[in-house]
């Protein structure tokens, strides 16, 4: 039959093809060869191939989005590489530079020493965040690992992408794109952590031997689809006096908070075991707290109009119409105290960077209550435009 528009979410099939190196082809001849009798083709390739072939033979049909473009979002390494290229020189409406976290890919299975070597040469240090290479389609793709020292590297599973841990005041901004429509919603995120490797952690006392023992593995695991770990889950707590910070259990120097130099506060770090998060009502309220309640909020900076140039750059680079991405607002104001944390004007913007992470196809759009109507309007408009063009 003839279709004016086709909307799909064949993420699992496209992910399967990307893993088996059966790239989705936009070439009509190759698609016909794949579907020819006698040529063994897996079910996933047949389904995706039929979709791509239909689009090729019916150019007036609006296909949202072409599997070839969706496949680019199946690998976090491909996403990171594309972001590092397409965001070069991109700024927001008011001139805030855009970018993506520094990273490297670790493909070698179990080679911890190789990862240590790459970290030594990388433009970033601990803490680091480790993510699996598959970016969608599986439960494992949401399993994240924050590594706080080299001891925690033992938990790394390969292959993976290793990214810098960019402090962003525990708040990320979920951006939804539907054609020309751009919407931004704040969400709770990971807390700020002290920079640098913590080789010594606050030890606990063994009741039997009365000796201080350190059993902490140096990592924190979490599921990105569940509430994020809090500062206490990382074993970090504020110490309000220099004397208390220096007299910690191990005698190791306490880490200085990146945002508390001038207020004479320090952070004592205790590395904890795997975080088990309970989706309690209290956690949910904290995660979904209105952004205006956050003293260090950048909500005034991250608006749909302000970040539209970033959305446009991603839309052009990935060739997608329905996608989402996260923005982390980072600041170089490491010397500011709490009273100066919120600065207005060009000076604050000059020290701010918007980092783009985790681009994904056809997100939930769950914060957009009007999404069904907007989607219907978008598909109708696209179908009419294609009819007029043809």
């Amino acid at each position: 039959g003839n279709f004016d528009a086709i909307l799909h979410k064949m993420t699992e099939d496209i992910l399967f093809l990307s893993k088996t190196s059966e790239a989705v082809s936009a070439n009509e001849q190759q698609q016909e060869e794949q579907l020819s009798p006698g040529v063994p083709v897996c079910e996933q390739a047949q389904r995706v191939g039929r979709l791509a072939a239909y689009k090729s033979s019916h150019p007036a049909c609006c296909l949202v989005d072409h599997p070839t473009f969706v496949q680019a979002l199946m690998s976090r390494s491909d996403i990171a590489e594309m972001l590092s290229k397409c965001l070069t020189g991109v700024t927001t409406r008011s001139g805030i530079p855009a970018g993506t976290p520094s990273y490297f890919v670790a493909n070698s299975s179990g080679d911890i020493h190789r990862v240590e070597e790459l970290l030594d040469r990388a433009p970033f240090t601990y803490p680091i965040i480790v993510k699996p290479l598959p970016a969608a389609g599986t439960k494992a793709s949401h399993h994240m690992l924050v590594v706080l020292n080299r001891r925690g590297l033992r938990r790394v599973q390969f292959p993976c992408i290793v990214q810098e841990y960019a402090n962003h005041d525990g708040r990320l901004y979920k951006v939804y794109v539907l054609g020309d429509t751009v919407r931004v919603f704040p969400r709770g995120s990971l807390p700020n952590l002290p920079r640098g490797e913590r080789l010594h952690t606050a030890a606990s006392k063994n009741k039997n031997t009365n000796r201080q023992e350190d059993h902490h593995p140096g990592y924190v695991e979490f599921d990105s689809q569940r509430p994020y770990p809090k500062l206490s889950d990382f074993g970090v707590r504020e110490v309000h006096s220099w004397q208390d910070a220096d007299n910690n259990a191990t005698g190791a120097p306490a880490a200085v908070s990146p945002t508390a130099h001038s207020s004479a506060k320090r952070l004592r770090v205790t590395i904890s075991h795997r975080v088990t998060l309970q989706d309690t009502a209290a956690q949910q309220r904290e995660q979904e707290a209105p952004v205006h309640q956050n003293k260090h909020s950048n909500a005034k900076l991250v608006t749909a109009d302000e970040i539209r140039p970033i959305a446009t750059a991603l839309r052009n680079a990935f060739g997608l119409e329905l996608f989402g991405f996260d923005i982390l607002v980072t600041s170089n104001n490491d010397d500011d105290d709490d009273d100066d944390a919120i600065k207005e004007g060009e000076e604050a913007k000059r020290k701010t960077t918007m980092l783009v992470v985790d681009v994904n196809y056809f997100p939930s759009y769950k914060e957009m209550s009007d999404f069904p109507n907007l989607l219907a309007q978008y598909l109708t408009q696209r179908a009419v435009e294609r009819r007029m063009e043809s």
Side-chain angles (χ1 to χ4, degrees):
N2 294 323
F3 297 96
D4 293 313
I6 298 178
L7 178 68
H8 77 91
K9 193 170 185 179
M10 303 178 69
T11 308
E12 293 183 0
D13 286 351
I14 297 173
L15 175 63
F16 178 86
L17 297 182
S18 67
K19 287 184 175 180
T20 57
S21 300
E22 296 189 43
V24 180
S25 174
N27 182 278
E28 182 178 1
Q29 181 179 356
Q30 291 182 11
Q31 292 161 0
E32 292 178 351
E33 290 176 354
Q34 285 181 339
L35 300 175
S36 299
V39 179
V41 180
C42 67
E43 294 181 1
Q44 292 85 349
Q46 290 180 351
R47 288 192 290 266
V48 176
R50 280 194 293 266
L51 185 63
Y54 184 90
K55 170 59 181 175
S56 180
S57 59
H58 299 77
C61 176
C62 172
L63 177 59
V64 183
D65 278 301
H66 199 289
T68 302
F69 301 139
V70 177
Q71 187 165 354
L73 297 185
M74 296 297 102
S75 169
R76 283 194 170 92
S77 61
D78 292 343
I79 294 172
E81 182 178 4
M82 178 66 76
L83 289 175
S84 63
K85 294 178 179 178
C86 74
L87 292 177
T88 301
V90 174
T91 64
T92 66
R93 185 84 65 184
S94 65
I96 299 174
T100 191
S102 300
Y103 74 97
F104 62 83
V105 177
N107 288 309
S108 53
S109 178
D111 190 358
I112 300 300
H113 297 294
R114 175 60 176 164
V115 176
E116 290 181 344
E117 293 176 0
L118 291 172
L119 270 175
D120 289 339
R121 299 199 300 266
F124 56 94
T125 184
Y126 297 96
I128 57 176
I129 186 165
V130 181
K131 306 175 182 179
L133 287 187
T138 66
K139 184 178 180 180
S141 65
H142 304 289
H143 180 264
M144 308 294 173
L145 181 72
V146 177
V147 179
L148 300 132
N149 57 41
R150 63 194 65 195
R151 182 167 40 181
L153 293 175
R154 295 175 296 181
R155 187 60 178 174
V156 173
Q157 298 182 11
F158 299 90
C160 62
I161 183 171
V162 179
Q163 291 180 329
E164 67 171 315
Y165 188 100
N167 285 334
H168 51 283
D169 290 335
R171 183 71 58 176
L172 64 79
Y173 296 86
K174 179 69 65 175
V175 182
Y176 294 127
V177 180
L178 171 57
D180 294 326
T181 300
V182 179
R183 298 283 180 84
V184 182
F185 299 90
R187 285 188 184 178
S189 184
L190 293 167
N192 288 357
L193 294 177
R195 295 186 181 92
E197 180 179 17
R198 292 289 296 170
L199 295 176
H200 303 284
T201 64
S204 59
K205 181 175 291 186
N206 187 311
K207 294 182 180 180
N208 296 325
T209 63
N210 201 32
R211 296 177 60 184
Q212 298 290 342
E213 297 180 356
D214 186 358
H215 302 291
H216 304 291
Y219 63 84
V220 170
E221 293 177 289
F222 67 97
D223 185 330
S224 62
Q225 290 191 318
R226 300 193 64 188
Y228 286 95
K230 305 297 189 298
L231 195 62
S232 58
D233 294 319
F234 290 89
V236 179
R237 69 180 183 87
E238 280 191 316
V239 181
H240 293 278
S241 85
W242 292 98
Q243 183 176 5
D244 290 343
D246 291 330
N247 295 334
N248 62 69
T250 61
V256 179
S257 167
T259 59
H261 286 268
S262 57
S263 59
K265 294 181 181 178
R266 285 189 173 188
L267 293 176
R268 186 186 337 184
V269 178
T270 305
I271 311 306
S272 59
H273 288 275
R274 177 183 178 122
V275 176
T276 302
L277 295 174
Q278 297 180 350
D279 192 9
T280 63
Q283 284 180 322
Q284 194 69 21
R285 286 195 299 271
E286 184 173 352
Q287 287 286 347
E288 298 179 355
V291 79
H292 62 76
Q293 294 180 5
N294 184 354
K295 181 179 179 181
H296 304 287
S297 168
N298 294 285
K300 293 182 179 180
L301 291 179
V302 190
T303 64
D305 183 66
E306 176 69 15
I307 59 93
R308 188 173 293 277
I310 299 177
T312 300
L314 299 188
R315 186 182 177 188
N316 294 335
F318 290 97
L320 297 172
E321 295 294 306
L322 271 72
F323 66 97
F325 59 95
D326 295 344
I327 284 182
L328 310 181
V329 181
T330 64
S331 174
N332 296 324
N333 298 332
D334 288 353
D335 297 329
D336 295 338
D337 60 22
D338 290 343
D339 293 333
D340 296 330
I342 301 177
K343 288 187 174 182
E344 299 181 356
E346 296 303 320
E347 179 65 17
K349 291 181 179 180
R350 186 178 63 83
K351 294 183 178 182
T352 300
T353 303
M354 293 196 184
L355 298 180
V356 177
V357 294
D358 295 336
V359 183
N360 59 305
Y361 168 67
F362 208 152
S364 66
Y365 295 95
K366 64 181 182 179
E367 288 93 342
M368 292 176 57
S369 59
D370 57 345
F371 174 70
N373 291 333
L374 289 174
L375 179 60
Q377 293 173 10
Y378 167 78
L379 292 176
T380 301
Q381 180 182 351
R382 288 289 306 276
V384 170
E385 291 173 350
R386 287 300 179 92
R387 280 283 188 93
M388 296 178 64
E389 292 173 358
S390 61

